[in-house]
Amino acid sequence: MTTARENIVILTGAGISAESGIATFRDKDGVWSKFKLEDYATPEAFERDPVKVQTFYNERRAGMKDKQPKAAHEALARLEKEHSGEVLLVTQNIDDLHDRAGSENLVHMHGELLKAWCTHCDNRSAWLYNIEADSVCASCGQKGSLRPDVVWFGEMPYQMDRIFDALDRADIFISIGTSGAVYPAAGFVDAANQAGAATMELNLEPSDGSYLFDEVAHGPATEIVPNWVEGFLTES
Ligand code: BJW
């Protein structure tokens, strides 16, 4: 009996962008070791102190300018182009490194740092610079209604129906560079296992949920992701 390899769902997290110089969240020098998440990544924090939260995101947006996609991002874009079946790439990352590497069937489930969301007219638009208290929405002209288009704790991640539909049909599910500490993404491996998919973790080290995967490979994303993609495409 041959194992189905048609439909692939890939989940990525901060670890895939770590070698591009973007900090992860929960590693020793991660974002949450320097900033208390309750003060920056909740709607309540934004309501309490919008300037503090906008400054945090403005600095991270400015810091992304010189960051480049690496071999792992490029390998996933190659997989999408060369695999005859479906590849859905779901990223928790708010950077644009998968986009710039060329991935197209891509969901930014936690939003995008380079977009602003107008809470007045609900428009989302590309935003490369600082969001200030007097920034004006390009769509409705409202002043002071823009926030980063990112998903904070307690908010619903984007395109969940599309993701769970793909997980229901998945033959292969791969989790790359994520600690698996944040739901609903942390539950995708259970959904994939229930759908009968082969599941694999590619991470620097075993995550707390490593035991949930059929296979694991550990090491830097720039090595283990291109290796896996090369092997998969060669066997196809
Ligand atoms: C490398 C590497 C290298 C390093 N190579 N690997 C109690 C129980 C269960 C759930 C909850 C609960 N209380 C509240 C909740 C829900 C909550 C939640 O999960 N909280 C947990 C903390 C418990 N979740 C939510 O609120 C979410 N919304 C929600 O649940 O809505 C309701 C809903 C219900 C049902 C269905 C659907 C929805 C929203 C979560 C929003 C998360 N937002 C953030 C911030 C985004 C904006 C920003 O960037 O500021 O998203 S938090 C942060 O964590 C960010 C990340 O996307 C996310 C995940 O982090 P990630 O990517 O895993 O990074 P790390 O640092 O944790 O891990 C990096 C990994 O890489 C490590 O393993 C390293 O080893 C590895 N690595 N270098 C390969 N070179």
Side-chain angles (χ1 to χ4, degrees):
M1 196 182 85
T2 53
T3 314
R5 296 154 58 91
E6 193 71 4
N7 297 329
I8 305 176
V9 179
I10 297 171
L11 171 70
T12 65
I16 199 167
S17 296
E19 290 158 90
S20 297
I22 299 177
T24 62
F25 292 93
R26 295 169 186 81
D27 290 315
K28 194 164 54 68
D29 296 321
V31 175
W32 301 148
S33 72
K34 301 186 178 89
F35 301 91
K36 212 172 144 203
L37 74 85
E38 292 83 358
D39 290 343
Y40 295 95
T42 68
E44 293 78 17
F46 186 57
E47 207 165 298
R48 268 195 314 272
D49 196 340
V51 173
K52 179 175 173 173
V53 173
Q54 296 282 22
T55 303
F56 172 66
Y57 285 98
N58 286 344
E59 286 171 0
R60 288 173 63 198
R61 191 181 298 106
M64 264 173 53
K65 284 207 174 74
D66 60 341
K67 305 299 186 284
Q68 301 299 334
K70 294 280 186 189
H73 304 95
E74 284 156 6
L76 296 183
R78 176 185 170 210
L79 178 69
E80 182 186 323
K81 282 186 184 62
E82 295 185 17
H83 177 52
S84 56
E86 183 184 338
V87 178
L88 178 67
L89 177 54
V90 180
T91 187
Q92 298 169 87
N93 299 343
I94 61 174
D95 65 56
D96 65 346
L97 299 185
H98 285 307
D99 309 69
R100 286 203 274 136
S103 287
E104 289 176 359
N105 204 22
L106 171 65
V107 174
H108 278 277
M109 67 175 289
H110 290 164
E112 296 176 66
L113 186 54
L114 299 183
K115 284 188 180 168
W117 171 22
C118 175
T119 53
H120 184 69
C121 73
D122 206 30
N123 182 63
R124 289 171 165 83
S125 58
W127 201 276
L128 304 182
Y129 305 104
N130 288 351
I131 303 179
E132 310 286 2
D134 59 355
S135 291
V136 173
C137 171
S139 179
C140 69
Q142 181 80 15
K143 195 187 273 189
S145 58
L146 297 177
R147 57 164 271 189
D149 187 15
V150 302
V151 177
W152 288 322
F153 284 101
E155 297 184 323
M156 184 63 82
Y158 296 155
Q159 301 194 44
M160 293 311 301
D161 289 349
R162 179 177 171 196
I163 296 169
F164 278 112
D165 174 63
L167 287 167
D168 279 348
R169 295 181 291 103
D171 299 311
I172 298 176
F173 171 74
I174 308 176
S175 172
I176 303 173
T178 177
S179 61
V182 176
Y183 286 86
F188 291 174
V189 62
D190 295 324
N193 279 325
Q194 275 167 31
T199 56
M200 183 166 194
E201 172 174 90
L202 301 178
N203 204 52
L204 188 60
E205 57 198 10
S207 71
D208 289 349
S210 250
Y211 67 94
L212 296 167
F213 294 83
D214 298 322
E215 269 185 76
V216 294
H218 297 126
T222 49
E223 292 174 16
I224 57 178
V225 178
N227 283 349
W228 184 83
V229 169
E230 178 66 29
F232 179 83
L233 290 173
T234 306
E235 284 166 30
S236 295

